[in-house]
Amino acid sequence: MLVCKAVTFFAVIFQMRSIGYNSFDSSLHLQTDTEKPSLKEGDVLIKVEAAGVNRLDLIQVGGKFPPPQGESDILGVEVAGTVVEMTQTASEQTSLKTGDRVMALVGGGGYAEFCRAPYQVVMAVPEGVTWTEAAGIPENYLTAYQALVWNGRLKDGETVLIHAGGSGVGMAAAQLAKNLCKGVQVIVTAGSDEKLSVCKENGADFGINYKTDNFALEVMKFTNNKGADVILDFVGAPYWEKHSQCVAIDGRIIHLGFLGGSVLEKANLGVELKKRVTHFFSTLRSRSLEYRGELVKQFARDTLPLFSAGSAKVRVDSVHSAENATLAHTRMRENKNIGKIIITMTT
């Protein structure tokens, strides 16, 4: 009897809840016997309150986006929770301490009760921000910041075209564009009037229903034939020609995904040359720790005060328990969300 009790106690300490998946039907399931992550030097262990759902999670479930080498194969790249353990290096190199409310951008492992994160990618949760809101900041807002500031070099008075305006990244990009530069005009596309209405509440100056209107023509009308200085694209090949039509001279097009395909059947490169267009093809999950750490550092400096002040705010579309995680993925797969989908890991 004493031996059985000892074994049970061992399991409680070294096992945790996590969300697994079946690639054959894209379903998710709660599992209670996952091994807790072991910390590497420089790591912080976070007890996860909530995790953000991202399109790349759905792609990983489909077997097309495996985690980078050395990262957990558990889904989830952004978490919010409490610091419960730190390595010596993490303690020496950061002001973080156990008990702090934090959020982090991780390479994997977010859909779990505990998640490890290098201290370089951990940020304090801004005052007044809830767990569910905090879980929607790291991936979406860092992606938007990278695209607008590092890649797009957005400047005062410019015009930015943001596709998928009703998505988490789209809404983050609109808020940052308005707050980080003066006089920026934000144009968004979305697939319904309901989403466009919310986008305008979120700061968009002009909305285009891509299902009923030619967005290239509408952009040129809105800008008096100047075009958009910066374009954030998630669609890929099907939008290439229209982007050539509506990008401004010296414009920058940032490609963040290829939901519509990545193979071009034709492209008029002469138009791009004449306009001196710059293309950026950008990812975040596969970047080096040094890159992600510097991005997090600059992002925290430039944007976290906006959340405390209320100038930036995560629009939470829906919150799902770990037991109902499949519903979260289904909602995103069907493009029903307006804002951020969150999964809570607390019991």
Side-chain angles (χ1 to χ4, degrees):
M1 180 64 69
L2 291 176
V3 173
C4 291
K5 286 185 177 180
V7 171
T8 301
F9 182 68
F10 183 91
V12 170
I13 288 182
F14 293 101
Q15 292 183 339
M16 66 175 182
R17 301 162 75 240
S18 70
I19 298 173
Y21 61 89
N22 296 313
S23 295
F24 68 90
D25 64 359
S26 298
S27 64
L28 307 182
H29 56 273
L30 183 63
Q31 47 199 22
T32 59
D33 57 353
T34 304
E35 184 178 352
K36 285 175 63 175
S38 300
L39 299 188
K40 302 176 183 178
E41 196 55 52
D43 280 350
V44 172
L45 185 65
I46 300 170
K47 187 178 189 307
V48 179
E49 295 287 337
V53 176
N54 293 281
R55 186 72 57 175
L56 63 85
D57 297 329
L58 275 64
I59 299 174
Q60 181 176 330
V61 169
K64 297 180 180 179
F65 200 161
Q69 185 175 3
E71 298 289 356
S72 171
D73 59 3
I74 296 173
L75 299 170
V77 296
E78 58 182 346
V79 299
T82 305
V83 176
V84 293
E85 186 180 342
M86 301 176 66
T87 60
Q88 182 175 350
T89 299
S91 299
E92 293 173 348
Q93 296 297 321
T94 178
S95 60
L96 294 172
K97 59 185 183 301
T98 56
D100 282 355
R101 299 177 72 242
V102 297
M103 53 192 181
L105 175 72
V106 295
Y111 288 15
E113 188 178 0
F114 294 92
C115 179
R116 74 168 190 87
Y119 74 86
Q120 295 95 326
V121 298
V122 180
M123 299 172 280
V125 175
E127 185 177 353
V129 175
T130 67
W131 286 127
T132 52
E133 291 170 342
I137 291 176
E139 173 68 15
N140 285 176
Y141 281 84
L142 280 164
T143 296
Y145 181 86
Q146 174 189 238
L148 292 172
V149 179
W150 281 25
N151 300 148
R153 306 186 305 277
L154 184 66
K155 298 186 287 291
D156 294 349
E158 290 193 320
T159 298
V160 58
L161 168 62
I162 302 170
H163 290 296
S167 68
V169 175
M171 290 198 159
Q175 291 179 15
L176 294 185
K178 283 294 189 180
N179 281 284
L180 297 179
C181 295
K182 298 178 181 178
V184 170
Q185 293 288 297
V186 174
I187 304 172
V188 301
T189 67
S192 71
D193 292 340
E194 179 187 6
K195 288 186 176 183
L196 290 175
S197 177
V198 175
C199 288
K200 290 180 179 178
E201 295 174 0
N202 189 59
D205 298 289
F206 184 57
I208 305 168
N209 188 327
Y210 67 84
K211 292 183 178 180
T212 59
D213 297 312
N214 183 320
F215 74 79
L217 295 179
E218 294 300 318
V219 168
M220 295 306 287
K221 290 178 184 177
F222 181 77
T223 60
N224 295 319
N225 291 318
K226 178 181 180 293
D229 300 287
V230 177
I231 298 175
L232 270 56
D233 172 47
F234 305 88
V235 178
Y239 279 7
W240 188 282
E241 185 175 354
K242 288 183 179 179
H243 285 156
S244 296
Q245 297 169 10
C246 69
V247 66
I249 294 174
D250 292 320
R252 290 83 71 195
I253 303 176
I254 296 87
H255 302 275
L256 300 171
F258 302 110
L259 295 177
S262 59
V263 179
L264 290 171
E265 295 183 1
K266 62 177 182 177
N268 187 347
L269 299 182
V271 174
E272 307 264 324
L273 178 64
K274 185 177 180 179
K275 290 186 174 182
R276 301 188 297 272
V277 177
T278 301
H279 289 265
F280 289 90
F281 297 84
S282 185
T283 60
L284 187 52
R285 188 185 195 187
S286 59
R287 296 282 193 176
S288 68
L289 178 57
E290 291 73 21
Y291 180 98
R292 287 179 287 135
E294 185 60 30
L295 180 65
V296 167
K297 180 180 178 181
Q298 292 190 25
F299 170 82
R301 177 198 66 200
D302 293 344
T303 71
L304 290 192
L306 298 175
F307 293 94
S308 298
S311 301
K313 184 177 178 63
V314 178
R315 187 185 194 280
V316 177
D317 169 83
S318 54
V319 180
H320 305 263
S321 67
E323 291 82 359
N324 294 316
T326 295
L327 298 178
H329 275 212
T330 299
R331 185 166 180 81
M332 177 168 282
R333 187 176 294 108
E334 295 176 353
N335 293 318
K336 291 182 178 180
N337 61 298
I338 307 178
K340 192 68 185 180
I341 299 173
I342 301 294
I343 294 175
T344 56
M345 290 305 306
T346 53
T347 53

